[in-house]
């Protein structure tokens, strides 16, 4: 476990903490700043684990798989919280879009395992990285809308925040599907090269 992987591990630990705190009854306004701290720390450590891996030459096949795994765990945990919250009210993350995200992530995991059997480590691709950045914006926008709703502030603007979050979420899901096909193309090229 090097520094980069420890930073990645911290995100994996923070994901269930975010979920537990998010699911505390909405009446507890103190949970909002705690959720924002967890979200921001998760994304900052995501940046620094990559920086540490490159600058300190700590890149490894393990890290190439561990980092996107942590990203997926954090983001799908947040999306699941928002999905559950939608059952109670806000409804920004629809079930069908959430399932597309989950199915895409399992499919990528499957492709990575297939490639590992061939001795190839498939790390994050550029489209996958862009998808991750848009996921981060989707989580941030949805958390902002949920925060406004829970704190009962700017209620007249809440529909706009929800719409904005929903649009960003749609874009992130679209990028997720497109990036999946990018991974499939790489897998097929690896298949045909062997």
């Amino acid at each position: 476990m090097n520094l980069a992987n420890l930073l990645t591990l911290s995100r994996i630990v923070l994901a269930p903490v975010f979920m537990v705190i998010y699911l505390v009854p909405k009446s507890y306004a103190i949970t909002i700043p705690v959720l924002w701290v967890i979200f921001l720390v998760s994304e900052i450590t995501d940046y620094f684990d990559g920086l540490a891996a490159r600058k300190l030459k700590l890149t490894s096949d393990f890290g190439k798989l561990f980092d996107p795994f942590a990203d997926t765990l954090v983001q799908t945990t947040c999306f699941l919280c928002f999905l559950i919250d939608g059952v109670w009210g806000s409804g920004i993350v629809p079930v069908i879009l959430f399932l597309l995200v989950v199915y895409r992530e399992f499919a990528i995991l499957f492709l990575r395992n297939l490639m590992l059997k061939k001795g190839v480590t498939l790390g994050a691709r550029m489209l996958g990285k862009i998808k991750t950045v848009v996921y981060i914006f989707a989580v941030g926008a949805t958390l902002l809308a949920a925060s406004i709703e829970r704190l009962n502030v700017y209620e007249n603007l809440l529909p706009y925040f929800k719409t904005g979050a929903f649009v960003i979420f749609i874009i992130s899901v679209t990028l997720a599907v497109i990036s999946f096909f990018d991974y499939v193309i790489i897998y097929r090229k690896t298949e045909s090269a062997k």
Side-chain angles (χ1 to χ4, degrees):
M1 256 312 157
N2 58 40
L3 175 62
N5 291 337
L6 283 172
L7 288 169
T8 302
L9 179 63
S10 72
R11 298 201 318 276
I12 291 172
V13 170
L14 287 173
V17 174
F18 181 95
M19 180 171 230
V20 167
I21 293 172
Y22 192 91
L23 296 178
V24 166
K26 295 179 186 182
S27 58
Y28 298 116
I30 188 65
T31 61
I32 300 298
V34 175
L35 291 168
W36 277 101
V37 167
I38 293 170
F39 169 64
L40 293 172
V41 167
S42 294
E43 299 316 326
I44 289 168
T45 56
D46 186 21
Y47 172 76
F48 281 111
D49 70 2
L51 187 66
R54 287 185 300 278
K55 295 287 183 187
L56 302 175
K57 299 187 182 349
L58 301 173
T59 56
S60 65
D61 286 345
F62 175 78
K64 288 177 187 175
L65 298 175
F66 196 43
D67 181 63
F69 170 75
D71 291 343
T72 298
L73 186 68
V74 168
Q75 290 150 358
T76 53
T77 298
C78 292
F79 291 150
L80 178 60
C81 289
F82 303 143
L83 176 69
I84 292 168
D85 203 25
V87 172
W88 298 325
S90 62
I92 294 170
V93 176
V95 173
I96 190 72
L97 295 181
F98 174 76
L99 287 175
L100 275 174
V101 168
V102 171
Y103 293 161
R104 182 261 187 208
E105 298 304 337
F106 276 116
I108 295 294
L109 179 63
F110 181 70
L111 284 176
R112 283 189 169 126
N113 282 331
L114 289 175
M115 291 186 76
L116 270 178
K117 287 186 88 170
K118 297 177 183 304
V120 178
T121 303
L122 181 62
R125 307 244 325 131
M126 184 51 70
L127 271 175
K129 290 179 181 183
I130 293 168
K131 175 266 315 173
T132 297
V133 170
V134 180
Y135 270 8
I136 291 166
F137 281 106
V139 170
T142 309
L143 184 56
L144 179 60
S147 300
I148 289 169
E149 186 174 56
R150 287 179 177 205
L151 295 173
N152 294 318
V153 294
Y154 306 113
E155 290 178 352
N156 56 329
L157 298 176
L158 185 59
Y160 301 106
F161 283 105
K162 285 184 176 183
T163 301
F166 180 72
V167 168
I168 296 170
F169 186 65
I170 292 272
I171 293 168
S172 72
V173 172
T174 303
L175 282 170
V177 171
I178 292 168
S179 72
F180 169 73
F181 289 108
D182 179 48
Y183 284 94
V184 169
I185 290 166
I186 294 302
Y187 172 73
R188 296 195 78 185
K189 284 181 181 173
T190 306
E191 256 313 279
S192 61
K194 296 239 173 192

